[in-house]
Amino acid sequence: MSQAMLGKVRKLLAQAEDPACTPAESATFMAKATELIARYGVDRALLAAREPAVDPIGDRTVEVVAPYARDKAGLLAAVADPLRCRCVRRRQGDSYVMHLFGFASDLERVELLFTSLLVQAAHGLAGTVVPVGEHPAAFRRSWLAGFAQVVAERLRAAEAGAVAEAGAPSVALVLADRSDRVQRRLAEVYPRLRTAPRRRLAGGGFAPGAAAGRRADLGGSGLTGAGASPGIAGG
């Protein structure tokens, strides 16, 4: 991502997190940051269609550490999928290694957003009181699930909006081709990949987590490594 674009996104994030902002003002800054990230993805895809060398397909690994490593891995998958990346989850002790596949610009966007959203999720959980009678760990896992689901929905909407704004019918074809190429690359590396069974969560934190996901800023906070997960209190 260009330094100019990154500067704009960082500024919007700082404004959205300013305690002096009203919820409406924060939502406005958040929406603009999300729009910039999505527009950047479309612009890079169109440029790469003309000059493939500027945005090669590739992969990278991200270690997601305890506590709540599986839930953080779910958040990473929720960010990756709408941004046309694919990921494979591998268990490594108490942690997970997420193997991401995608085009360079999309992998960059995923890492940018995931790093920021981990921080926002940690802050959100720290400010959420576990209801009396709830098991803290179960509540927090379901909170993170709600947060991740809403983030994914918002990212899909932002990506669709950027495609519609671009206008040309060829844009959708370019993006579909990129998605197909990413899927083929994943299949080359993991030809016998199995889908994990659907997870069942018992905690009552889904709704407040979803509400936090609607408030989360999707503009990112920098290009630091996503493997350095901020602490989310265990329970």
Side-chain angles (χ1 to χ4, degrees), residues 3 31 36 49 51 75 77 93 103 106 108 111-112 124 134 146 159 164 191 205 208 220:
Q3 289 302 312
L36 288 175
E51 303 176 42
L75 176 59
F103 284 84
D106 293 330
E108 179 186 39
E111 189 168 6
L112 176 80
E134 283 265 9
E159 293 293 306

Side-chain angles (χ1 to χ4, degrees), residues 62 64 72 75-76 79 110-118 226:
V62 177
V64 185
K72 294 174 186 175
L75 176 59
L76 177 53
V79 173
V110 170
E111 189 168 6
L112 176 80
L113 288 169
F114 179 57
T115 301
S116 175
L117 287 166
L118 273 181

Side-chain angles (χ1 to χ4, degrees), residues 9 11-12 45 93 112 126 128 130 140 152 165 176 182 188 202-203 206 224 226:
V9 169
K11 183 177 180 181
L12 288 165
L112 176 80
T128 301
V130 178
R140 289 170 182 142
E165 184 181 320
V182 171
E188 290 171 0
F206 188 92
T224 56

